[in-house]
Amino acid sequence: MMMQNSTNLLGSNTVVQQKSKGFDIRHTLSEVFTHWRMLSVTLFLALAGAFLYLQVAKPAYEINATILIKDETRNPNQQSVLHELDLTQSLKIVENEIEIIRSKQLIGQVINDMQLWVVYQQKQGLLFYKDIYKTNPVKFTLIKAGHYKVAPEIELSLKDKNYFYLKLPDGEKKEYAYNSAIKNNWGTWKLEFIRNSYPDESKDFKIKILDKGALALQYRKAIDVNLVNKLTSAVSLTIKDQIEQRGIDFLDHLIVVYNTASMNYKQREAQKALQFLDDRLALLSGQLTEAEKNLEGFKSSQAMPDVSSVTKVDLENQQTNDNRLNEVDVQLSVINGIERYVNTPGNHGKLPATLGIVDPGLNSLIEKLSDLQLEHDKLSATTPETNPDFEIINKQIATTRGALRDNVSNIKSSLLNQRSNLQSLNSRFESSIKNIPVQERQFVSIKRQQSTKENLYVYLLQKREEVSVNYASTLANDRVIDQAYSEGKTWPNVPFIIGIAVMLGLGLPAAFFVAKNILSNNILTTQEIYAATPIPILSELSFQKSKQLIGFNSESTFAINEQFKSLRTNLYYLQLNNKNGKVTLVTSSVPGEGKSFVSVNLSSALAFSGKKTIILEMDLRKPKFVDLFKLTATHPGVTTYLNGNCSKEEIIQSSASLPHLSIITCGPVSQNPPELLESYRLEELMVYLKNNYEHIIIDSPPMRLVTDVLLLTRFVDVTLYVVRRAYTNKAELDYINTLNEQQRLPNVNIIFNGSSSTNYGYGYKKYGYS
């Protein structure tokens, strides 16, 4: 028990047992960066790819412009003078104007005006071509278009200012003169040399002929037209283009085309209105002339005096009386509504209006009744009907209703009397008018027709003048706030691309290693051992390619030397109670985990410190010591002694490099190791070794394959169980736990072999210890 607890006192290379609680990010990163060489390669490749992409990536510039659209729905005073005649189709609405700006028709006109369907490209380097704009030395003109499904592409090379070479479909080049018509399967075209100076840069060019409709759709998707905010009618236009100036020119020309289309639309509408007014005036002119002739002819034929002044007073009196009669009818209608309301029992609805009735008493009673009903409603919202307060309010409402009923009755009687008097007067006026001669009534009818047509003619003539003025001064209603301008290059974004490259160069390999570790069935980290077993890890040994004996005087193996020296120190603490003959068993689950490597180098480390040490090769089925220590193969070994063919002293050999180290090899391979290990001669050998050596290291066979190890544990003080990184299966930890629980291995500790942890690489050179 004391030996188990003594692990807490061990040196720096001993790992104190801790249970893993979740994902250890620091340990995971440490594991990942053990592959720093591969990470460096992937990072370099990713950065190289980013650099190449930056060289070939097509740039993107963001172009913006802002215009102010006069929204006539927000400014009704700015509507057209023809709106009251309904001669215009609709008001200008900003949302509609946005769709007009983005329309395929307008964008197509811009593309056609700027010849954007012809793309000029100049060769850059050996493989790439770059779009050029306004610097092209030649101009393409399509004389007659043919039918083609794929956009035609012309490859040419300039010879001089008079001739150029055209690459034919078969790869040959043919010389042509500028301004000469060239015919092929997609149309007839020509080239014109338009630059004053011959280009000093590359003379190889491409000309691509794009489909105008498809190009218009591409631009329609690329352009963003949005309201700046909901409180204004300012509209922002945004587009991204590979060529900065081309994007600026596109937006500027789009605004010009939009304003021009808007003015043309207004002019067309004004022309339609003028045509309508002219047609109506022409028709009314004839009708008015005819009406005036009829009036003049009637007067001449009848030879009648002007009697209109005689009947004028009667007509005016009749009209005034009719107006008063209408007012009385309206007041009676209002009074009837109030009367119905007050005569309906339990009516608490909205009180009728008293429109047109000027009676202070009526208004006062209605106002009082309204207040009482309001008070009743408020009380009913919080108080049951059985409350005594309702009795008071209901009595007041009933009293007010009665007074209002009497008042309404009096007003109604007065209005009925007025109505009767006005009807009598109206009858008298009508009788008087009927006495007008028949000729005068005919005259009034003709005069009325002539006046109506004259008034309409004057009105339309006035509107025609207004439309004429508006047509003559038609200007764009929209104002350009900001001409098109560039906000600079938005792509490629160098910091973003470099960041992505770094993430890919480091992140993908790191994710691969993490996923590999998570999905692996083999032990990769000490954290996995912590989580699976309570057995302490006595030491971590870094990965070594060579399985040979480590030279403890060699600087090239300084780190692993120090790790074995630290293991030697930790072993001292586990064997404090033993003065001599400390027996340490080194074993593992399966072959290849490094038990022989550990036992050989641990015994060498003990001997190097001056401790008299002997190592026994007890793996009687697969001996290795002859090759590792470069010993004579015919020398007697353990099997020779156990078979009784030699003495104990004869099997002991001395190390040529370490004076304090002795070796007992396996000897001839045995066919019955268990029987030999049960021999009393083994006990005699172990007693002899304990009396003559401070440390005895036993290199045993793998536990999983044979039972030989269990026959050796009766002599052992400490068991070192070797677990190899990325080799030992995780299931072996359960097997080790079972052995430990059954106490079949004395004082067992784990040696984690082949560790990749940088923390256990010691960093001796960094701190000046190498």
Side-chain angles (χ1 to χ4, degrees):
M1 190 68 178
M2 290 177 61
M3 301 178 79
Q4 281 284 52
N5 295 336
S6 65
T7 56
N8 294 329
L9 305 173
L10 299 182
S12 62
N13 201 33
T14 301
V15 183
V16 180
Q17 177 64 41
Q18 297 177 0
K19 286 294 181 181
S20 175
K21 295 180 185 276
F23 184 72
D24 190 340
I25 183 64
R26 293 182 60 186
H27 192 83
T28 301
L29 291 177
S30 175
E31 284 290 319
V32 168
F33 280 102
T34 58
H35 304 280
W36 62 269
R37 291 182 178 86
M38 183 174 290
L39 292 175
S40 300
V41 172
T42 56
L43 179 60
F44 172 78
L45 294 176
L47 291 175
F51 176 78
L52 291 176
Y53 176 78
L54 290 173
Q55 300 303 312
V56 302
K58 295 181 179 180
Y61 296 88
E62 184 171 304
I63 315 300
N64 292 293
T66 308
I67 61 174
L68 182 66
I69 297 177
K70 294 184 179 179
D71 193 343
E72 294 175 359
T73 60
R74 302 187 183 187
N75 301 286
N77 294 330
Q78 298 177 0
Q79 294 176 11
S80 170
V81 295
L82 302 178
H83 177 66
E84 56 186 282
L85 288 178
D86 197 25
L87 297 178
T88 55
Q89 292 182 354
S90 63
L91 301 177
K92 178 179 279 191
I93 303 173
V94 66
E95 287 78 7
N96 294 342
E97 298 305 305
I98 288 175
E99 291 304 314
I100 293 173
I101 294 173
R102 293 183 66 252
S103 65
K104 182 182 176 183
Q105 181 180 357
L106 243 61
I107 293 176
Q109 184 178 342
V110 175
I111 290 172
N112 196 55
D113 293 346
M114 296 177 63
Q115 296 289 294
L116 296 178
W117 53 279
V118 182
V119 179
Y120 300 90
Q121 295 181 330
Q122 188 172 17
K123 194 170 186 179
Q124 300 286 323
L126 296 176
L127 300 175
F128 302 103
Y129 283 82
K130 179 182 179 181
D131 287 3
I132 55 176
Y133 176 71
K134 289 189 174 180
T135 58
N136 45 297
V138 295
K139 180 182 178 182
F140 173 87
T141 301
L142 185 62
I143 300 173
K144 183 179 179 181
H147 298 284
Y148 54 89
K149 295 182 179 179
V150 181
E153 184 175 282
I154 303 170
E155 292 189 39
L156 58 101
S157 179
L158 305 186
K159 179 181 179 183
D160 51 34
K161 296 182 179 180
N162 299 313
Y163 298 94
F164 67 93
Y165 296 107
L166 177 65
K167 186 177 180 180
L168 301 177
D170 58 3
E172 296 293 328
K173 290 186 177 181
K174 186 176 181 181
E175 183 179 297
Y176 287 93
Y178 292 113
N179 297 316
S180 60
I182 302 173
K183 186 176 182 180
N184 51 25
N185 57 354
W186 52 266
T188 304
W189 53 277
K190 68 176 182 177
L191 284 184
E192 178 185 357
F193 191 82
I194 59 174
R195 279 174 59 171
N196 294 328
S197 60
Y198 192 66
D200 296 329
E201 60 272 16
S202 174
K203 300 175 179 61
D204 294 329
F205 293 86
K206 277 185 180 180
I207 301 177
K208 292 184 177 180
I209 314 302
L210 305 179
D211 180 77
K212 296 179 182 179
L215 186 60
L217 291 176
Q218 291 179 12
Y219 268 96
R220 190 177 189 277
K221 293 178 181 178
I223 188 171
D224 287 329
V225 185
N226 298 297
L227 279 171
V228 174
N229 59 64
K230 295 181 179 180
L231 301 178
T232 69
S233 59
V235 173
S236 66
L237 290 77
T238 304
I239 195 171
K240 291 183 179 180
D241 202 314
Q242 297 177 16
I243 301 177
E244 189 174 26
Q245 189 58 47
R246 182 171 63 187
I248 293 174
D249 293 345
F250 177 84
L251 286 189
D252 283 339
H253 195 68
L254 179 62
I255 293 172
V256 171
V257 169
Y258 165 70
N259 285 331
T260 302
S262 180
M263 287 189 293
N264 292 339
Y265 174 79
K266 292 175 184 177
Q267 289 177 352
R268 287 195 302 270
E269 292 298 305
Q271 288 175 349
K272 291 179 182 178
L274 285 173
Q275 183 64 40
F276 169 77
L277 291 172
D278 287 341
D279 293 343
R280 290 297 299 165
L281 286 171
L283 178 62
L284 283 173
S285 177
Q287 292 176 351
L288 181 60
T289 300
E290 183 179 356
E292 289 176 343
K293 287 182 179 180
N294 290 337
L295 180 62
E296 182 180 358
F298 183 82
K299 284 186 175 183
S300 299
S301 63
Q302 299 295 329
M304 60 178 295
D306 185 9
V307 295
S308 59
S309 58
V310 178
T311 61
K312 182 177 181 180
V313 175
D314 288 337
L315 290 172
E316 290 177 351
N317 288 335
Q318 185 185 21
Q319 185 176 2
T320 302
N321 193 71
D322 286 340
N323 292 336
R324 290 181 61 190
L325 186 60
N326 290 333
E327 291 177 0
V328 170
D329 288 338
V330 170
Q331 291 176 355
L332 278 172
S333 177
V334 173
I335 286 297
N336 289 332
I338 298 173
E339 186 177 35
R340 284 193 300 273
Y341 178 83
V342 296
N343 289 331
T344 302
N347 193 341
H348 295 290
K350 185 178 179 181
L351 289 169
T354 59
L355 182 68
I357 299 177
V358 182
D359 188 299
L362 178 65
N363 292 331
S364 176
L365 289 171
I366 288 179
E367 183 178 357
K368 182 178 180 181
L369 181 60
S370 177
D371 293 340
L372 289 171
Q373 288 183 353
L374 181 61
E375 185 177 353
H376 178 276
D377 293 340
K378 288 181 179 179
L379 188 62
S380 63
T382 59
T383 309
E385 289 286 344
T386 57
N387 193 293
D389 294 341
F390 277 105
E391 185 177 353
I392 299 174
I393 294 177
N394 291 333
K395 286 181 179 181
Q396 292 177 348
I397 291 175
T399 302
T400 306
R401 278 178 175 271
L404 184 60
R405 189 181 296 108
D406 295 339
N407 188 280
V408 167
S409 178
N410 295 332
I411 295 174
K412 184 176 182 180
S413 299
S414 175
L415 289 174
L416 289 173
N417 290 332
Q418 291 183 30
R419 187 172 186 273
S420 177
N421 294 333
L422 290 173
Q423 286 177 340
S424 299
L425 287 174
N426 207 31
S427 298
R428 190 170 69 248
F429 289 139
E430 287 179 357
S431 176
S432 176
I433 292 172
K434 288 180 180 179
N435 293 328
I436 299 174
V438 175
Q439 295 86 351
E440 182 63 20
R441 288 201 304 274
Q442 292 175 350
F443 173 77
V444 171
S445 175
I446 295 173
K447 178 66 175 177
R448 184 173 62 252
Q449 292 178 4
Q450 182 267 338
S451 297
T452 301
K453 295 186 181 299
E454 182 179 9
N455 292 336
L456 182 57
Y457 183 84
V458 171
Y459 175 75
L460 292 179
L461 192 62
Q462 177 184 358
K463 291 303 176 183
R464 189 190 185 285
E465 290 301 316
E466 292 177 1
V467 173
S468 298
V469 173
N470 183 64
Y471 175 73
S473 61
T474 298
L475 298 174
N477 286 335
D478 304 319
R479 172 184 171 189
V480 179
I481 299 177
D482 286 320
Q483 293 283 354
Y485 63 92
S486 173
E487 291 194 353
K489 186 185 292 186
T490 60
W491 190 261
N493 187 328
V494 176
F496 176 77
I497 292 174
I498 295 298
I500 292 296
V502 171
M503 290 178 60
L504 293 177
L506 295 178
L508 288 182
F512 169 77
F513 290 129
V514 171
K516 181 181 177 182
N517 289 354
I518 293 174
L519 299 176
S520 175
N521 291 324
N522 295 331
I523 300 170
L524 299 173
T525 67
T526 55
Q527 301 299 317
E528 295 170 342
I529 301 176
Y530 297 156
T533 178
I535 301 173
I537 300 175
L538 188 65
S539 179
E540 288 189 49
L541 301 176
S542 58
F543 175 76
Q544 298 293 316
K545 293 183 179 179
S546 175
K547 298 182 180 179
Q548 299 300 319
L549 178 63
I550 295 172
F552 281 84
N553 292 320
S554 173
E555 293 184 359
S556 62
T557 56
F558 183 78
I560 189 65
N561 287 347
E562 292 302 314
Q563 291 170 3
F564 272 107
K565 290 177 182 179
S566 179
L567 173 59
R568 177 185 67 195
T569 304
N570 296 337
L571 190 61
Y572 291 161
Y573 285 102
L574 291 178
Q575 298 173 334
L576 285 175
N577 295 333
N578 298 337
K579 295 182 179 180
N580 287 315
K582 304 177 182 70
V583 181
T584 302
L585 176 71
V586 181
T587 189
S588 65
S589 296
V590 293
E593 293 177 303
K595 60 178 183 56
S596 296
F597 171 79
V598 172
S599 60
V600 167
N601 286 285
L602 175 59
S603 61
S604 300
L606 290 168
F608 187 76
S609 67
K611 305 294 183 182
K612 192 176 182 181
T613 306
I614 188 168
I615 180 170
L616 280 74
E617 184 177 25
M618 301 304 291
D619 189 349
L620 306 183
R621 305 171 193 268
K622 291 184 65 177
K624 301 177 182 177
F625 281 13
V626 171
D627 295 332
L628 288 174
F629 288 103
K630 296 183 172 64
L631 301 175
T632 304
T634 58
H635 196 280
V638 173
T639 58
T640 310
Y641 168 74
L642 294 178
N643 285 319
N645 297 325
C646 66
S647 64
K648 296 184 288 291
E649 292 80 4
E650 290 180 293
I651 64 175
I652 298 174
Q653 303 182 65
S654 298
S655 170
S657 57
L658 294 171
H660 298 285
L661 178 63
S662 299
I663 306 153
I664 299 178
T665 61
C666 169
V669 176
S670 174
Q671 300 301 322
N672 56 345
E675 288 76 8
L676 291 177
L677 294 177
E678 291 177 357
S679 170
Y680 71 93
R681 293 179 63 84
L682 178 61
E683 295 182 9
E684 292 178 353
L685 176 63
M686 294 305 300
V687 171
Y688 172 79
L689 295 178
K690 286 184 179 183
N691 292 329
N692 290 277
Y693 293 92
E694 293 184 62
H695 287 278
I696 303 165
I697 307 299
I698 300 177
D699 180 32
S700 71
M703 292 282 300
R704 278 284 196 180
L705 303 183
V706 294
T707 61
D708 300 359
V709 182
L710 299 178
L711 299 174
L712 298 171
T713 56
R714 63 186 187 275
F715 309 112
V716 174
D717 300 313
V718 174
T719 303
L720 301 182
Y721 206 106
V722 179
V723 173
R724 183 177 173 182
R725 181 188 180 278
Y727 187 89
T728 304
N729 195 285
K730 294 176 182 178
E732 297 301 331
L733 295 174
D734 294 332
Y735 176 68
I736 298 172
N737 283 336
T738 302
L739 294 174
N740 186 50
E741 291 170 1
Q742 296 175 357
Q743 298 182 355
R744 306 190 73 177
L745 296 176
N747 202 3
V748 63
N749 290 264
I750 291 176
I751 304 295
F752 190 49
N753 186 29
S755 172
S756 62
S757 173
T758 55
N759 292 334
Y760 280 83
Y762 294 93
Y764 293 103
K765 293 184 180 180
K766 175 180 177 182
Y767 296 105
Y769 280 87
S770 60

